[in-house]
Structures are given as structure tokens and as C-alpha cells.
Amino acid sequence: MSGKADWPLWEVFVRAKRGVSHVHAGTVHAPDAELALQNARDLFTRRSEGVSLWVVKSNDITASDPNDRESLFDPADDKTFRHPTDFELPDEVANM
Amino acid sequence: MAADTDALQKRFDQLIDADDRIEPRDWMPDEYRKTLVRQIAQHAHSEVIGMQPEGNWLTRAPSLRRKAILTAKVQDEAGHGLYLYGAAETLGTPREELLDRLHNGRQKYSSIFNYPTLTWADMGAIGWLVDGAAIMNQVPLCRCSYGPYARAMVRICKEESFHQRQGFQIMLTLANGTPGQQAMAQDALDRWWWPSIMMFGPPDSESVHGDQNTRWGIKRFGNDELRQKFIDATVPQADLLGLTIPDPDLRLDEETGNYLHGPIDWGHFWDVVKGNGPCNRERLGTRVDAHEGGTWVRQAATAYAEKQAKRATEAAA
């Protein structure tokens, strides 16, 4: 039970600088959250890529099914009126 | 302990002075946290209550296209409320509590939503003026010192542009329409103009939280400055529509290029803030009813989740 094969997978998120969101960077294996942070630090921030790290157990992430892509996301395609460009206005107020 | 706090305060001040962002795990002064919870929550409440004036016209939009657009806009307001509640929650106040504070009147929402929407032209005036004023207020908040609020505002501002343009297009259509439609557009402008320019808040000379919020990088411009920017941008738009802004004192100051406005009735503003606007009771009542009416939906979702979890445990056993 102590082999590395048993270590769970962790998703790593890095915040590049204050003011921006944490962005997914990749994964590490680690026996617990503390070591996952350590490993993430060594693997993803060796060149000052970040100021903050999050690690989340991969198993704790619920993802949408790729097969559902069309039913989930295509309905937005024919709602072009959600975009400002859908409304033609006179040149004088073009910047509105 | 005091020495620790001093060091933390110093670090916080350095971040603020460097125009850097404060993030949820950072130490921050209690007052900064309280101010942000109040401002972000009130902003969220405004988005949520703001669905009502326009919701009033969803079933009576003049075409299927206008109906789809208005539905999308109201849906955006709900989304904006959720982004903002999410940002407020990063400061440690649970959403339930924020909603309670709205429902029991301890926290306010923008007074602009306490006015009725009497005609379809009000959908145009709201998009053009109310959303226009909101954008003027909100763009600087994209650089607010609190990271999660600033990020929520970036998303919101991206979506607001459509709101203002669809409103102006409604006004344009009416302004180019029959005399009756033109009159309807003018009437909407007459009723929404003063409340819209009051949205920037009282004059800076009377503003309660102004200085400290400026120091903290929560507020970037003064109320009067933003109001002036809005008026300067809006007067030429009204001219383009062929509509008259209901302010007999409004005039262009040649020297500054600013449009100077007449006196604002702040007595009326405070009266509406205190709960005496035309729709205060109706708005809050509708909101509380919606929340209470939704109780069984939340209960059902929880019961379903519990049942699924139980089944999963049983299947694993």
C-alpha cells in the first residue's frame, strides 16, 4: 500500500500574479495535499511562474461529458444578440 | 500580537500603495473586509432586484426578437448577481446571510430599481441610461484592489455593452417612429433622466465613505466626476435621438467642454433610499416571495442529492 502507484492524482492551479485567477497548469502525484503542494511548487513554479498554488484531487473534479458538448454549448450559437456587435448603431455612437 | 498586526497592516498598505491586488487568503483590515462585503453585496442585490423592472415587460415585448433579447438581458442580470455573491463569499460571509440582509432590509440595493416601468420605451431608457450609468460606475471597478471583485467586474462589463446598445436601439427605433412612439420615448427619458444621474450617488462633498474607499483602491473616481462623464457622453446621444433632456438649466460650458446640469433633488433621492420610492415595497416583496416560493425546489434538490448519495453508498457496500 505504500508504493507510489497508490498515490492519488492532483490537479494543479497556478496564479501567475495578484489580480488574476488561478489557471490549470497540470497534475502531480502525491500521497497527501501537503506533498501535492510541494510537488506542484517544484514542478510548475521553478521559474517564478506563480505567486499562489491550488491543488485539488483529480477524483474530486466532476467534468462535463464530451458527448454532451453539442447539447450543452450549441444553443448559445444562435443567440448572437447576446453580443454587442449584433446591434447596429449610427457611427456617432459606435463606441457605446 | 499588536506587533504582528502592525506588520500585517504594513504589508497590506504596501500592496495597496503599489496598486497591487488583495486576494482572499491575504490579511486585510476588518474595515476593508466589511466595506467590501457591503459594497459587493449591495451590488449583487441590485443585479437581482434589477431583474424586476424589465421582467415586467418580458411577456409584452413587441416582437419575438425583442422578447429573446430582453430575456437574455434579464438572464445576464441574474448571472451578474451570482458572480458578485460569489466574490462577496470569498470574504467569509455566506450567501444565505447576504440574502437575509437583503430580505430583511439591512442591506440596500440601487434606488434606481424602485421606479416603475410604465411603457415599452422604459426598456429602451433603462438600457441606454441606467445601464449606461452603471457601466460608467463599473468600468473603474475592474481595477478595484480586491482581486475577486475586480475579476467579477471584468466579466460583467464585457456583458453590459450589449445591454446598453440594445436599449439605445429601442430608443432609436421609437425616435424614428410615429409621433406617438416619439412621445413615448420622450416620456421615458423624462422619467429616467434624473434617477439615472442620481445613480452616481450624492455629491462628493456629502459622500460618507468616499475618502477611505479611495485610499483603499476600491473607488477610483469621485461621484461628481463620473456623473459629469456620463452626462457629457449622453447629451449628444439624446441629440442624435432628437429627444430633449428634461433639465432646463443644462448647458454646454464652452471653457471646459462639460455639460453643466441643473440642481439635483437630493431630498427625493434620500426619500427613495429610505424606502419611500414608488416601488420599494413591491420590489422587496416580490423578491422575498420568489425566495420563499423557491423553498420547495431547494428542498427537493437537497433530498435528491441525499438519495443519490445513499444509493451510491449502498451500491458500494
Side-chain angles (χ1 to χ4, degrees):
Chain A
M1 276 303 284
S2 59
K4 187 173 188 291
D6 300 318
W7 290 3
L9 192 64
W10 302 76
E11 303 291 329
V12 178
F13 299 82
V14 181
R15 186 202 296 286
K17 57 175 188 176
R18 287 173 176 279
V20 303
S21 304
H22 288 79
V23 174
H24 188 245
T27 56
V28 293
H29 280 277
D32 62 21
E34 194 185 341
L35 269 176
L37 266 184
Q38 283 295 331
N39 291 349
R41 178 256 191 195
D42 290 345
L43 190 57
F44 293 107
T45 59
R46 290 192 308 280
R47 288 177 182 76
S48 309
E49 288 91 340
V51 296
S52 169
L53 285 168
W54 283 350
V55 291
V56 182
K57 257 189 203 158
S58 303
N59 280 340
D60 287 341
I61 289 183
T62 306
S64 62
D65 185 335
N67 295 320
D68 291 341
R69 201 209 64 187
E70 289 178 7
S71 64
L72 287 177
F73 307 114
D74 284 3
D77 289 349
D78 61 3
K79 296 180 178 59
T80 53
F81 49 77
R82 284 180 177 151
H83 298 277
T85 44
D86 207 50
F87 298 85
E88 276 195 36
L89 296 182
D91 290 343
E92 295 93 321
V93 287
N95 290 328
M96 183 178 280
Chain B
M1 187 63 196
D4 280 359
T5 309
D6 285 351
L8 291 166
Q9 177 76 50
K10 202 175 156 196
R11 172 77 185 125
F12 174 85
D13 290 340
Q14 278 170 351
L15 286 170
I16 295 286
D17 290 341
D19 199 13
D20 220 329
R21 298 291 171 268
I22 307 299
E23 295 292 349
R25 302 276 178 118
D26 291 329
W27 181 90
M28 59 189 88
D30 288 344
E31 260 318 295
Y32 177 82
R33 189 184 297 273
K34 262 169 67 183
T35 297
L36 277 167
V37 170
R38 185 180 55 226
Q39 178 170 335
I40 302 173
Q42 291 189 1
H43 196 162
H45 301 331
S46 300
E47 298 282 358
V48 170
I49 296 285
M51 288 191 279
Q52 291 184 40
E54 290 172 305
N56 182 35
W57 281 90
L58 281 176
T59 59
R60 292 174 290 163
S63 69
L64 189 58
R65 177 177 158 80
R66 293 289 188 199
K67 186 173 188 164
I69 292 168
L70 193 60
T71 306
K73 182 174 186 296
V74 172
Q75 193 182 20
D76 276 355
E77 317 292 1
H80 296 175
L82 295 177
Y83 300 155
L84 289 163
Y85 283 128
E89 281 179 292
T90 65
L91 291 157
T93 309
R95 189 169 311 202
E96 276 298 306
E97 197 176 319
L98 299 172
L99 289 174
D100 280 349
R101 289 181 195 173
L102 168 64
H103 296 159
N104 65 26
R106 274 183 57 210
Q107 282 180 339
K108 303 279 185 210
Y109 52 87
S110 175
S111 278
I112 193 74
F113 302 117
N114 289 319
Y115 295 89
T117 46
L118 304 179
T119 72
W120 171 253
D122 289 15
M123 300 303 97
I126 287 180
W128 171 38
L129 301 173
V130 176
D131 291 303
I135 290 169
M136 211 56 102
N137 266 328
Q138 290 174 350
V139 167
L141 288 171
C142 297
R143 294 189 296 116
C144 161
S145 64
Y146 187 59
Y149 190 24
R151 290 191 286 278
M153 290 317 303
V154 170
R155 253 173 203 278
I156 290 172
C157 286
K158 259 189 209 160
E159 297 178 356
E160 286 285 352
S161 170
F162 133 58
H163 296 182
Q164 195 188 13
R165 289 176 71 98
Q166 68 84 35
F168 192 81
Q169 206 189 49
I170 290 173
M171 293 305 277
L172 198 60
T173 307
L174 293 171
N176 291 322
T178 64
Q181 288 169 328
Q182 290 167 4
M184 195 194 281
Q186 181 63 53
D187 167 63
L189 172 58
D190 289 347
R191 283 180 291 109
W192 289 95
W193 172 255
W194 290 104
S196 295
I197 66 170
M198 289 176 190
M199 282 176 70
F200 297 93
D204 295 313
S205 52
E206 294 165 28
S207 187
V208 197
H209 305 292
D211 288 349
Q212 183 61 71
N213 289 357
T214 304
R215 163 74 187 105
W216 277 333
I218 297 172
K219 199 176 170 70
R220 300 279 178 181
F221 299 99
N223 295 350
D224 296 318
E225 194 178 356
L226 288 171
R227 182 169 16 251
Q228 188 62 57
K229 259 178 90 174
F230 173 73
I231 293 173
D232 290 342
T234 307
V235 173
Q237 294 165 1
D239 288 345
L240 188 73
L241 292 170
L243 299 177
T244 307
I245 288 180
D247 177 356
D249 297 322
L250 189 75
R251 64 178 178 86
L252 181 65
D253 180 41
E254 300 283 355
E255 216 167 287
T256 58
N258 291 330
Y259 285 93
L260 304 181
H261 61 81
I264 297 176
D265 183 356
W266 292 110
H268 167 79
F269 172 79
W270 289 114
D271 203 33
V272 179
V273 169
K274 283 178 191 136
N276 302 319
C279 300
N280 295 56
R281 268 174 290 272
E282 183 188 332
R283 297 293 186 235
L284 199 55
T286 301
R287 173 63 211 142
V288 171
D289 284 351
H291 189 70
E292 287 174 357
T295 305
W296 71 270
V297 181
R298 294 188 293 276
Q299 284 171 344
T302 309
Y304 181 76
E306 282 166 357
K307 189 170 81 180
Q308 294 300 312
K310 199 173 150 214
R311 279 190 189 163
T313 324
E314 282 166 5

